Amino acid sequence: VAGALSAALAAVTTAGCVSTVTPPAVVVEPTDVVLVRDARHVGLLFPRDQGGHVEFGFGDWDWYVQMDDAWYDAFDTVLVPTRGALGRAERPERDAAELARRHPHWEVRSLRVEAAAMRTVRDALEATWASRAESRVRNDVYGFDFVRHDAPFWFLNNCNDVAADWLRELGCRVTPLPVRLGLSVAAPAAALPASAAPDGRDRER
């Protein structure tokens, strides 16, 4: 959860740019995760077994939980490591198309990944979030329930970096950058089943 800080990040450094996310080329049991972004946040949505999605995002605790979000707060937030926050939100939308219709101000990108990897990452995030439930704070402005995160937030570890880590765990390739100000999904290509690959292995990994 962050994205509102992108302008401040750009003001801090000109070295940062956008990483390209490439989904795995070979998928045996496919499922879709959804990367969303607007002016206020970046999030990754995972399908829930009971329908809909659960969204997770990373941000600065003071900015998103304490609402210390005046323009002059942005510079301390990005220049100095601060307390991190893990946000969680339940989304009833069934797929990326429905998300785009209901949230026209969001940039919505769907990525096809391995279902087993999705469940592993999703369940690990759920477990992390639940283990910190005593620090839970609801923020209706952003529509998230936040808990404390062990990782600090600053311009070298912002919402895009944490989302990039999750995407790598899902089998995606993310171009490395010293400072990451955004994520862009590569043009989708039809995911091949393992049996269609020349040697049965994902050559992107």
Side-chain angles (χ1 to χ4, degrees):
V1 175
L5 301 183
S6 293
L9 287 167
V12 170
T13 178
T14 59
C17 55
V18 176
S19 282
T20 299
V21 180
T22 305
V26 177
V27 178
V28 177
E29 183 188 355
T31 192
D32 291 337
V33 298
V34 183
L35 179 68
V36 299
R37 178 177 181 176
D38 66 9
R40 302 192 304 180
H41 88 295
V42 171
L44 194 59
L45 282 74
F46 301 82
R48 304 175 69 209
D49 295 338
Q50 58 269 55
H53 289 79
V54 58
E55 178 179 357
F56 287 96
F58 174 74
D60 172 67
W61 182 269
D62 291 344
W63 185 279
Y64 288 101
V65 178
Q66 305 295 340
M67 296 300 290
D68 295 334
D69 56 0
W71 68 268
Y72 48 79
D73 292 315
F75 296 96
D76 286 343
T77 296
V78 299
L79 287 172
V80 180
T82 57
R83 291 176 295 180
L86 179 65
R88 180 186 186 277
E90 294 184 6
R91 309 293 186 192
E93 293 85 0
R94 294 166 297 177
D95 53 30
E98 188 174 355
L99 282 160
R101 286 195 301 271
R102 291 193 179 181
H103 305 277
H105 58 293
W106 285 6
E107 179 184 334
V108 178
R109 295 289 182 268
S110 183
L111 301 97
R112 183 142 296 180
V113 300
E114 198 70 61
M118 183 281 296
R119 289 190 293 267
T120 297
V121 177
R122 180 198 63 191
D123 294 351
L125 287 168
E126 290 279 27
T128 298
W129 191 90
S131 71
R132 292 158 170 74
E134 74 284 351
S135 64
R136 175 181 172 183
V137 177
R138 174 70 183 176
N139 186 325
D140 289 322
V141 173
Y142 292 100
F144 277 87
D145 291 294
F146 291 96
V147 297
R148 293 191 182 276
H149 195 287
D150 289 340
F153 181 95
W154 66 317
F155 78 100
L156 291 179
N157 190 59
N158 63 67
C159 58
N160 298 293
D161 296 304
V162 173
D165 290 340
W166 298 340
L167 289 163
R168 290 190 188 96
E169 292 175 23
L170 290 167
C172 299
R173 187 171 63 185
V174 183
T175 52
L177 289 171
V179 178
R180 184 177 287 109
L181 301 184
L183 297 168
S184 175
V185 178
L192 299 174
S195 59
D199 59 1
R201 294 194 300 272
D202 182 355
R203 294 186 179 275
E204 295 293 335
R205 297 182 187 178

